[in-house]
Amino acid sequence: MERGVLGSRSCGKTTSTSFAGSTKHVQNLHGNVKSLQLAATGSSRLANTSPVLKKQWNLSARSSSADVVTTFDDAKVVSSSAVEEKIGVLLLNLGGPETLDDVQPFLFNLFADPDIIRLPRLFRFLQRPLAKLISTFRAPKSKEGYASIGGGSPLRKITDEQANALKTALEKKNLHANIYVGMRYWYPFTEEAIDQIKKDKITKLVVLPLYPQYSISTSGSSIRVLQNIVKEDSYFAGLPISIIESWYQRDGYVKSMADLIEKELAAFSNPEEVMIFFSAHGVPLTYVEDAGDPYRDQMEDCIALIMGELRSRGVLNRHTLAYQSRVGPVQWLKPYTDEVLVELGQKGVKSLLAVPVSFVSEHIETLEEIDMEYKELALESGIENWGRVPALGCTSSFISDLADAVVEALPTASALVTRKADSADSDMDLMHYLTKMFFGSILAFILLLSPRLISAFRNTML
């Protein structure tokens, strides 16, 4: 049934001519990417920039292995009159394991990302060992989930189809562009797409994360990869780039979501009695409260816009929002999807329409977590009629709106330049490195000699 939902949103034949290659080099990926934040000077070139990203791009961060700090400079824009313009669009997405053997290394890449597991600076050298530990323990359960949806994630296939649909939509708007797909945690990695962009000699680039709402852990993480590349590569330091950071507020997206919801409501015998249940991917609460992640605010704003559109059409159903996919012992955004489903059943809700609002493609969290786990829980809790809105996929109105967003973003593209960091930065880097190595080694020693601590950690993560 779940794959039937996916098939209903088929995007057509996929070609690979516009996409980066996929030579496998798995677990050393994050070790080769240095951490850097950019110092902004002049006007921003991030469309719809959140306070978090503005803060991130305005910080001068230091790296023990870096000699440069990167800054924006609006004066250095490639002139279309001097160089024949060659437009590129980079679609950013999460990525997913394509086979069961890919699951553990995919999870390693996920948890090795410091934007996913945010360790204190002192202990960041433990990031990769910790990722290895967590991915090893979680792989068996995750493999069961992927096995239940056919043995792998369909995310790459769907994203390629969306890329081809976007290329066609742009051509209808008289814009010829090369479309690239860059995945954060699996093939084709963002770094591979970046290499292809350079080989194709793109002269202006629009970066479009396929996440409607901005979060540190999604769009923010992928943008950080771009920051590192810009810092190290003179080609990208001079390339005009425009980043569409979030786009949940666009009319095309809002109306496309309302269209899908309205269509699925019509399938119920009593549509007016159906509770519309928005389920969004969760993030740890500390991301929002301590790091200033705008994700929760944007999500709530997104739901209000969608429900406003529905009400303008006469759809007056009740609705609620909850967050799914929490991992580990820390507190995540509430309310939790599983708990709310039980509560709704206890309150006598009989008909429910699940809406995966963080996702524009079918993947493990829609096909397995929502369609199987949450559906079963809902029915056990007393909900009798269950429905689920499919992901947007290649819905024509949605793709057309993404094309409009790309066209609108092009005039804001501006180039980047780099400047040397001063010697004080390098001295401070060395002190930070020695300090964290000293205290981190003590922590590692304690952990290695404490089987009970390791056992407790394993129990919290499984």
Side-chain angles (χ1 to χ4, degrees), residues 137-321:
F137 287 148
R138 290 192 62 81
K141 182 177 180 180
S142 293
K143 284 184 178 180
E144 292 177 4
Y146 282 105
S148 71
I149 63 170
S153 173
L155 191 59
R156 177 176 181 176
K157 177 179 180 293
I158 296 171
T159 306
D160 282 353
E161 291 171 343
Q162 289 171 324
N164 282 305
L166 178 60
K167 183 177 180 67
T168 300
L170 286 171
E171 289 173 349
K172 291 180 180 178
K173 300 177 188 294
N174 297 317
L175 178 64
H176 299 281
N178 287 6
I179 314 296
Y180 305 87
V181 170
M183 300 295 191
R184 186 65 180 92
Y185 306 115
W186 205 242
Y187 303 99
F189 289 114
T190 303
E191 293 85 347
E192 296 178 77
I194 288 295
D195 286 343
Q196 191 62 46
I197 289 169
K198 187 174 181 180
K199 290 177 183 177
D200 291 342
K201 298 180 180 179
I202 294 300
T203 62
K204 186 175 287 188
L205 181 66
V206 175
V207 179
L208 176 57
L210 289 177
Y211 310 103
Q213 307 83 16
Y214 176 88
S215 173
I216 293 169
S217 59
T218 54
S219 302
S221 178
S222 292
I223 291 169
R224 182 174 60 82
V225 172
L226 297 178
Q227 293 172 337
N228 295 332
I229 292 169
V230 165
K231 179 259 302 185
E232 296 180 345
D233 193 307
S234 60
Y235 170 81
F236 286 98
L239 178 67
I241 300 174
S242 180
I243 300 176
I244 304 172
E245 183 202 330
S246 64
W247 38 267
Y248 70 90
Q249 70 279 52
R250 294 187 60 85
D251 284 345
Y253 168 75
V254 171
K255 290 178 179 178
S256 295
M257 287 295 296
D259 289 344
L260 292 180
I261 293 170
E262 201 170 18
K263 179 180 178 181
E264 295 302 320
L265 283 173
F268 287 84
S269 55
N270 295 298
E272 68 282 354
E273 297 178 0
V274 177
M275 169 73 77
I276 300 174
F277 184 84
F278 293 97
S279 187
H281 190 285
V283 299
L285 185 62
T286 56
Y287 284 29
V288 174
E289 295 190 345
D290 298 337
D293 195 335
Y295 177 71
R296 179 173 61 188
D297 288 343
Q298 290 192 5
M299 184 59 66
E300 292 174 357
D301 189 28
C302 176
I303 302 307
L305 291 171
I306 294 171
M307 290 306 303
E309 174 64 24
L310 286 170
R311 290 191 179 96
S312 72
R313 304 179 184 188
V315 178
L316 305 178
N317 295 61
R318 293 176 297 160
H319 75 280
T320 190
L321 167 65

Side-chain angles (χ1 to χ4, degrees), residues 35 40 72 88 104 111 125 203 214 219 247 293 304 345 354 370 384 409 435 451:
S35 177
F72 288 108
Q104 190 276 324
F111 293 117
F125 80 102
T203 62
Y214 176 88
S219 302
W247 38 267
D293 195 335
I370 293 178
E384 298 174 356
T435 301

